[in-house]
Amino acid sequence: MGGAALKEVHLPITGMTCAACSSRIEKGLNKLNGVQEASVNLALEKAAIKYNPEVTSVEAFEKKIEDLGYAVVSEKAEFELLGMTCAACSSRIEKGLNKLPGVKNAVVNLALETGTVEYNPEQVSVQDMIKKVENLGYHAKAKTDKDQEAEGYREKEIEKQKGKFLFSLILSIPLFWSMVGHFEFTSFIYVPDMFMNSWVQLALAAPVQFFIGKQFYVGAYKALKNKSANMDVLVALGTSAAFFYSLYQSLLSLGRNGHVVELYYETSAILITLIILGKLFEARAKGRSSEAIKKLMGLQAKTATVLREGEEIEIALEEVFDGDIIYVKPGEKIPVDGEIIEGQSALDESMLTGESVPVDKTAGDTVIGSTLNKNGFLKIKATKVGKDTALSQIIKVVEEAQGSKAPIQRIADKISGIFVPIVVSIAVVTSLVWYIWVSPGNFAEALEKLIAVLVIACPCALGLATPTSIMAGSGRAAEYGVLFKGGEHLELTHEITTVVLDKTGTVTHGKPVLTDVIMEGNVEESAFLQLVGSAEKQSEHPLAEAIVKGIKDKGITLFNPQEFDAIPGYGIKAKVEGKNLLVGTRRLMEKYDINIHSAKLEMEKLEENGKTAMLVAVDGKYAGIIAVADTIKETSRNAINRLKQLGIEVIMITGDNKRTAQAIAEEVGIDSAIAEVLPEGKAEEVIKLQNQGKKVAMVGDGINDAPALAIADIGMAIGTGTDVAMEAADITLMRGDLNSIADAILMSKKTIRNIKQNLFWAFAYNTLGIPVAALGFLAPWLAGAAMAFSSVSVVLNALRLQRVKIK
Amino acid sequence: MKKWAAAAIAYLVLVITVYTVYDSFWAEPEPMPHENEMENHR
């Protein structure tokens, strides 16, 4: 790939009808030069493409998709444009916008002072466009909300399908009525003579076949043009066979008063009506499965009050930029991520962290967009806007997970890719067998079997089985605060046998407090603490922060160290006021040959109580002990109990010494603790467990957990932790609560069970349906109803996951 | 959606009207009996 950084783009696609379509687009994209990996999700109607931007471009993907007979959906944004004086201005803005990557077409209307931009939201944002216009020296204001646009597109499509369904239903009712008269058990029902007339039937069936059914012909044509076959081919073949055979019979009857025996107009019309009904249900259900995303998007504030040119003005969220000063009144939502520059308040962050107790924040603290300002007036400086906010990142993770493929889906994809040609062959063989052997010379019967086989075998249910479950499952998990990064992780999590928990920040709050100070000899406590506090001042380790905070709380002022060196896993080495200080573990003291014999008893006592004791040496001599203790999360014990009940082995891993580790492990009910592990050793411990044949999930929050998170079968990052950990992990647990581990495992189990049910039904339906139809036990219209029902049942089964309770 | 329904109903009415007009003026009187047709279909 030429060593260039790979890019990833997500393109919304329209026109796919079944798994054969999605696999065709996937194949087409993967064949393009410069594409490393492309995957197409049928349920989400999206393609995710990893590519080398030096070799290929998004335009090439769009062209390929269009060549294959589908279209890339773009969104539209409208702007009010101010500051234009002549046509040169409008064309300048137009050119400028058209140059932005992701913009397909920008049109500026000088007279109306408006601009309309067609764009791919995955590549460019409304903010980027406004920025571009502002850079050109004009002012732009967004007129519409992109979510409403996207929503509108889907709604419109559903409305159109509803209209089409009604149209074909009204014309199919008389045809259905005429069919009722054919059966012995319903022959008592009166059928008007006119509906038995072949020309009336033709007049009713033709608009359904060619006007409503046009979409199947178009789809089939595009598929065949690209040398592949999809569900449209089967539907078009089946209904056309019925329609044209009937037309042939009608023509033969010319001069015979219009009454013909072998007519199948009703079969083709009812089939199309039912298939459209099925698609309608499917579209509605698909819409519901993205509810989780809608809920998350709903958390966002719609407007923000910002300071612009000395004035406080209310603007749309899209128009907020980094560095903007924002005012947030009590009761309002924080619009974007930022830093408080004035004021203090309690913020309700429960929507993101699940922590129900409001968090007190003051100047200098960071705030997260979409959290609720409870009681104070805040002045905030925006630091992250648009796609970069924490909430947008969460939405992105959920969307990507919903759009990704679980390995289990690949089987279904492979099968549905080769399904159509096989089915057409079976259908032809079936009709030949009927025509030659079973009912010799009876073309009508042979045709009926052909249609039934073609229709019953559509692999729609097979294509929908996995992606709809993944969508619903990952969406529901997100509501529980569990963010799966991809379908494969959702699938793998249920196989976990062992959970390794990092101690600090995971089992405990990770915010230790200073508890004990023990000094050697007659040293004044404040002088001792001043030295230790000054030495630790520059350390970013949570233990150091606790020590510094504890010392500062005692009213002791600290110096700046002249020298400072952090030794990971050991402690620190610093020079304060000309004195050389060492603060850290026994190993640190051993490393510098400090005699700590007199500290041994005290250390053991502190550690037995679960405290972390650090030894202090001044100028090469042992000087005392300083101890901190981390508090255990209230929920940890219950969460670990839940994991044990699921039959999962729970292990705690920590850099602390054995005694401290054991004390904490016992308190929360963990049977096994691996202590004194250096940061880089965590990954090794995980590998050791994996070598024993265990499927390991690592749960951590810090930068030092990242390698272990990446190496474990499943890495789970505590959402309150660092970005690095979340980046390395496969699952982010938004609520810093260990109960989410069991939730993730249960959600995975339930989703996998749901996928298996769906695949079973879809396979069973196709494998049973084909012989039943071939043997002549299934009328073509019943085959159509069954096919529509199969897709709907699969989607409805997946939607059950949305209401699943895991506690 | 209403437009689609109205269009379908209008078309249906048109087909029925055309048939009725044709049937009352030009059609020959004896249509094929239902029973025979059902028999054939089975």
Side-chain angles (χ1 to χ4, degrees), chain A residues 159-160 162-164 166-167 170-171 174 181-184 187 191 193-194 196-197 200 203-204 207 211-212 257 259-263, chain B residues 1-9 11-12 15-17 19-20 22-23 27-32 34 36-42:
Chain A
E159 277 302 300
K160 200 171 151 193
K162 261 191 210 166
K164 281 187 171 180
L166 259 187
F167 187 94
I170 290 168
L171 297 190
H182 295 326
F183 302 115
E184 215 166 333
S187 57
V191 182
D193 203 38
M194 99 172 68
M196 302 301 286
N197 184 289
V200 170
L204 295 177
F211 177 53
I212 304 297
N257 215 9
H259 282 272
V260 188
V261 182
E262 287 169 1
L263 290 182
Chain B
M1 209 167 76
K2 280 180 192 161
K3 277 185 204 162
W4 289 89
I9 291 169
Y11 181 75
L12 185 59
V15 172
I16 292 172
T17 312
Y19 176 82
T20 313
Y22 168 82
D23 199 44
E28 288 167 32
E30 268 180 79
M32 185 186 271
H34 268 193
N36 277 0
E37 197 183 333
M38 280 186 297
E39 197 61 40
N40 283 330
H41 246 278
R42 266 177 254 133

Side-chain angles (χ1 to χ4, degrees), chain A residues 221-242:
Chain A
Y221 168 71
K222 286 175 178 171
L224 293 173
K225 199 177 87 180
N226 290 294
K227 295 182 191 102
S228 68
N230 61 2
M231 167 197 156
D232 290 334
V233 174
L234 295 178
V235 175
L237 269 179
T239 59
S240 299

Side-chain angles (χ1 to χ4, degrees), chain A residues 277-422:
Chain A
L277 177 68
K279 284 192 159 293
L280 190 66
F281 278 140
E282 200 182 296
R284 298 190 80 163
K286 273 188 200 168
R288 268 204 284 157
S289 53
S290 55
E291 251 170 31
I293 299 279
K294 273 185 231 158
K295 268 189 204 166
L296 285 171
M297 283 178 165
L299 291 176
Q300 269 169 342
K302 300 275 174 262
T303 58
T305 309
V306 300
L307 186 70
R308 291 263 170 96
E309 290 158 8
E311 260 182 82
E312 273 179 46
I313 49 165
E314 196 173 325
I315 55 169
L317 196 66
E318 285 84 1
E319 293 168 40
V320 179
F321 295 118
D322 310 358
D324 267 339
I325 305 297
I326 303 167
Y327 294 101
V328 189
K329 288 181 203 137
E332 279 182 353
K333 276 184 181 171
I334 308 280
V336 294
D337 293 2
E339 192 185 318
I340 301 177
I341 47 177
E342 217 177 288
Q344 56 182 15
S345 179
L347 296 185
D348 176 3
E349 296 184 339
S350 59
M351 56 290 283
L352 293 176
T353 62
E355 177 62 59
S356 54
V357 185
V359 189
D360 287 323
K361 301 236 171 170
T362 182
D365 288 339
T366 53
V367 288
I368 310 166
S370 80
T371 55
L372 190 69
N373 176 17
K374 299 283 271 191
N375 51 20
F377 184 86
L378 294 174
K379 194 172 169 186
I380 295 162
K381 187 177 170 193
T383 52
K384 280 178 185 167
V385 296
K387 283 182 195 166
D388 303 325
T389 62
L391 185 67
S392 296
Q393 295 295 323
I394 292 169
I395 292 173
K396 200 174 153 225
V397 169
V398 177
E399 271 183 333
E400 281 179 4
Q402 290 193 331
S404 68
K405 274 185 188 177
I408 199 169
Q409 193 181 340
R410 314 248 175 228
I411 321 162
D413 278 358
K414 266 191 190 158
I415 293 170
S416 46
I418 52 162
F419 212 71
V420 178
I422 293 176

Side-chain angles (χ1 to χ4, degrees), chain A residues 667-740:
Chain A
E667 208 176 327
V668 290
I670 296 175
D671 304 324
S672 165
I674 307 174
E676 292 173 26
V677 180
L678 292 173
E680 58 270 26
K682 286 184 186 172
E684 279 166 32
E685 294 297 334
V686 169
I687 294 170
K688 269 187 212 164
L689 290 167
Q690 283 172 325
N691 289 342
Q692 291 166 26
K694 293 172 179 171
K695 287 264 181 207
V696 182
M698 168 78 201
V699 190
D701 71 325
I703 296 171
N704 59 5
D705 298 322
L709 287 172
I711 236 158
D713 295 291
I714 288 289
M716 300 189 192
I718 299 283
T720 46
T722 58
D723 292 347
V724 181
M726 277 183 260
E727 197 60 41
D730 307 311
I731 302 171
T732 303
L733 310 174
M734 291 305 296
R735 308 178 176 171
D737 172 351
L738 295 190
N739 274 303
S740 297

